[in-house]
Amino acid sequence: MERLTSPPRLMIVSDLDETMVDHHNDPENLSLLRFNSLWEDAYRHDSLLVFSTGRAPTMYKKLRKQRPLLTPDVIITSVGTEIAYGNSMVRDDEWIEILNKKWDRGIVQEETSKFPELTLQSETEQRPHKLSFHIDKSKVQAVTKELSQRLEKRGLDIKIIFSGGNAFDVLPQGGGKGQALAYLLKKLKAEGKLPINTLACGDSGNDTELFTIPNVYGVMVSNAQEELLEWYAENAKDNTNIIHASERCAGGIIEAIGHFKVGPNLSPRDVSDFLECKMDNVNPGHEVVKFFLFYERWRRGEVENCETYTASLKASCHPAGVFVHPSGAERSLRDTIDELGKYYGDKKGKKFRVWTDQVLATDTMPGTWIVKLDKWEQTGDERKCCTTTVKFTSKDGEGFVWEHVQQIWSEETEIKDDSNWII
Ligand code: GLC
Ligand code: MG
């Protein structure tokens, strides 16, 4: 969050399973990839991305390996009971202090074990401030009432959340996704960085609280669970700051950005002829997002194989520009574009996707920018990531010139063969 010097233009606080990630209808993650390129293109540089998930940190990391999720600025895990910041996930210890109030994990364990209706979820989901069970929907009301009374009698102040038609979480009263968001907003405000707009996105019971925080827009994706829709019908249907989207998952988030008019909502992935399309953009990060999208389509054989494209790309490279391949080999940028010509359509039918993450541009000198990003490439189940640095120059608003591109394999990428990595 330190990278922002002024209030973020937009803060998106989104659930992951069945909100960002569509587990049922989108095996190629197309909506998520649409959201990703919109975010990197138009928001990354001046906005905040927050994921708020029911998953424990280890299960969140697992999901990141399976799906093309962007790196969030803030990650809230375990149903709002753990907050961490940045790439390296630095834990918020102050939040833990707050959760410790009137909480005793041992007592919750003891009392919940007396209910045969509750079956413990896997060990990986049990956290210091979250005990999670499975329950039959018909038993929820009675168990909630009885358990709350017993825990109150033992001096605790707890919260019970029913989600996804069968999950039953017991948390400290001060925890939960809503309280975690309120805490984050308070913290940002104290730093003079209260977001201009905040949009909360969710699909199930544990997301309900997100929609109760003042001055926060909300979107329930089209595929929202019954328990969330019931809560909405009973409590919030006149609240025009909350919508039930007509699109599923990440598609619903993009829809809400448009509905509430909180910023651009045209994903570069929705533009077919983007080399021609002059988007109103003065950020060189846009050039990179656009290029790698072109690169994906080129190798998938989805754009026309015509000279005009490669010629226009070559024209935007400095004649003496150099590309440093992650293997260390160096080649001229213009030769690299020529090389690309040979790979047209080589990934046709191969589940090939390319996406960019953490695209950040800094202007080092007037007319010169350094853009840093993670470039991901996936074929089938195998994926690789390169930290990429691009130097651009621009004279008198005449468009950006690629001066230098350097790539290094990111730590998590295991390289067996890098001969097929072009740029
Ligand atoms: C996630 C968690 C699970 C929790 C559920 C509902 O699926 O993994 O432990 O019960 O969210 O909050
Ligand atoms: Mg969900």
Side-chain angles (χ1 to χ4, degrees):
M1 293 195 298
E2 287 76 33
R3 68 183 168 77
L4 297 180
T5 48
S6 50
R9 185 158 56 110
L10 177 64
M11 178 163 87
I12 284 197
V13 183
S14 179
D15 168 52
L16 295 176
D17 296 292
E18 308 300 351
T19 303
M20 267 293 163
V21 174
D22 191 336
H23 288 286
H24 289 102
N25 260 284
D26 190 5
E28 288 218 53
N29 304 298
L30 292 179
S31 323
L32 179 55
L33 290 167
R34 275 178 71 215
F35 173 82
N36 289 359
S37 41
L38 173 62
W39 189 260
E40 295 303 325
D41 185 47
Y43 293 97
R44 175 66 81 176
H45 63 288
D46 65 0
S47 297
L48 284 178
L49 183 61
V50 181
F51 290 155
S52 188
T53 176
R55 289 180 180 237
T58 48
M59 301 310 280
Y60 158 67
K61 287 181 187 158
K62 197 168 162 194
L63 184 66
R64 287 201 63 174
K65 290 211 165 79
Q66 296 163 338
R67 303 286 181 151
L69 284 170
L70 294 180
T71 306
D73 297 283
V74 185
I75 171 70
I76 302 172
T77 46
S78 313
V79 195
T81 62
E82 297 181 73
I83 303 178
Y85 304 97
N87 247 339
S88 41
M89 294 178 66
V90 179
R91 200 174 64 175
D92 189 324
D93 289 327
E94 220 179 291
W95 181 236
I96 295 176
E97 287 303 308
I98 296 174
L99 298 182
N100 280 337
K101 267 185 229 144
K102 292 197 171 187
W103 173 256
D104 184 323
R105 198 174 195 284
I107 295 180
V108 180
Q109 210 161 10
E110 193 187 315
E111 292 298 336
T112 47
S113 69
K114 296 176 189 160
F115 289 81
E117 300 91 334
L118 296 174
T119 3
L120 211 55
Q121 288 182 16
S122 72
E123 199 49 48
T124 49
E125 297 300 349
Q126 311 305 332
R127 302 296 298 160
H129 298 92
K130 165 179 175 280
L131 284 87
S132 293
F133 305 85
H134 287 126
I135 189 172
D136 189 288
K137 202 177 161 192
S138 62
K139 309 278 166 51
V140 177
Q141 260 195 336
V143 175
T144 303
K145 196 169 164 222
E146 179 69 22
L147 180 64
S148 307
Q149 281 170 359
R150 288 200 199 175
L151 290 172
E152 197 187 324
K153 262 194 208 137
R154 298 202 56 182
L156 304 195
D157 196 7
I158 56 101
K159 175 185 274 183
I160 291 171
I161 298 176
F162 177 62
S163 285
N166 71 351
F168 187 96
D169 302 317
V170 187
L171 323 170
Q173 183 61 250
K177 290 188 180 190
Q179 292 306 107
L181 170 56
Y183 170 83
L184 186 61
L185 286 168
K186 198 172 142 200
K187 203 168 159 123
L188 286 167
K189 192 176 177 189
E191 292 170 11
K193 292 181 193 167
L194 187 67
I196 298 167
N197 287 299
T198 302
L199 172 64
C201 321
D203 77 298
S204 83
N206 67 12
D207 300 314
T208 308
E209 293 187 343
L210 288 175
F211 302 113
T212 64
I213 307 303
N215 305 316
V216 170
Y217 290 115
V219 54
M220 304 180 293
V221 289
S222 70
N223 50 295
Q225 294 275 340
E226 206 176 280
E227 74 263 351
L228 178 60
L229 295 175
E230 271 170 17
W231 168 85
Y232 171 74
E234 281 165 28
N235 303 282
K237 69 177 189 315
D238 299 325
N239 183 347
T240 52
N241 283 351
I242 302 173
I243 59 162
H244 182 197
S246 55
E247 289 197 45
R248 294 180 60 82
C249 300
I253 301 176
I254 300 176
E255 180 185 333
I257 293 176
H259 177 90
F260 294 119
K261 300 189 172 58
V262 288
N265 69 333
L266 178 63
S267 168
R269 281 194 179 264
D270 297 333
V271 178
S272 53
D273 203 359
F274 46 71
L275 283 187
E276 296 308 309
C277 167
K278 292 269 171 285
M279 285 188 180
D280 183 18
N281 206 314
V282 287
N283 183 350
H286 172 69
E287 293 299 312
V288 178
V289 173
K290 202 171 70 168
F291 170 76
F292 283 117
L293 196 46
F294 169 77
Y295 169 79
E296 176 192 292
R297 289 174 178 177
W298 180 263
R299 295 192 70 182
R300 290 174 62 90
E302 287 175 353
V303 283
E304 225 182 297
N305 185 358
C306 69
E307 280 282 317
T308 346
Y309 284 131
T310 38
S312 111
L313 280 175
K314 272 170 89 169
S316 63
C317 295
H318 191 277
V322 169
F323 167 57
V324 186
H325 189 273
S327 66
E330 290 190 19
R331 199 195 285 141
S332 103
L333 271 176
R334 291 193 168 179
D335 289 352
T336 309
I337 304 293
D338 281 336
E339 181 77 10
L340 190 60
K342 297 187 209 151
Y343 288 85
Y344 179 81
D346 74 320
K347 296 284 188 183
K348 218 175 207 161
K350 295 215 171 111
K351 288 203 174 160
F352 176 73
R353 293 291 168 194
V354 177
W355 67 96
T356 48
D357 184 20
Q358 293 186 287
V359 179
L360 287 172
T362 41
D363 47 346
T364 46
M365 286 184 288
T368 305
W369 286 264
I370 301 290
V371 180
K372 243 190 139 165
L373 66 138
D374 278 342
K375 178 231 168 178
W376 287 89
E377 201 172 298
Q378 171 155 1
T379 307
D381 290 336
E382 200 199 332
R383 67 190 210 177
K384 293 175 185 168
C385 175
C386 258
T387 301
T388 304
T389 311
V390 187
K391 182 179 166 195
F392 284 104
T393 52
S394 169
K395 277 200 203 94
D396 317 318
E398 266 187 34
F400 294 99
V401 178
W402 295 65
E403 298 270 342
H404 190 86
V405 181
Q406 175 151 29
Q407 294 190 322
I408 49 170
W409 293 121
S410 86
E411 276 167 32
E412 38 201 316
T413 296
E414 200 190 305
I415 303 308
K416 295 182 199 106
D417 169 23
D418 60 13
S419 56
N420 206 11
W421 187 280
I422 305 164
I423 188 163

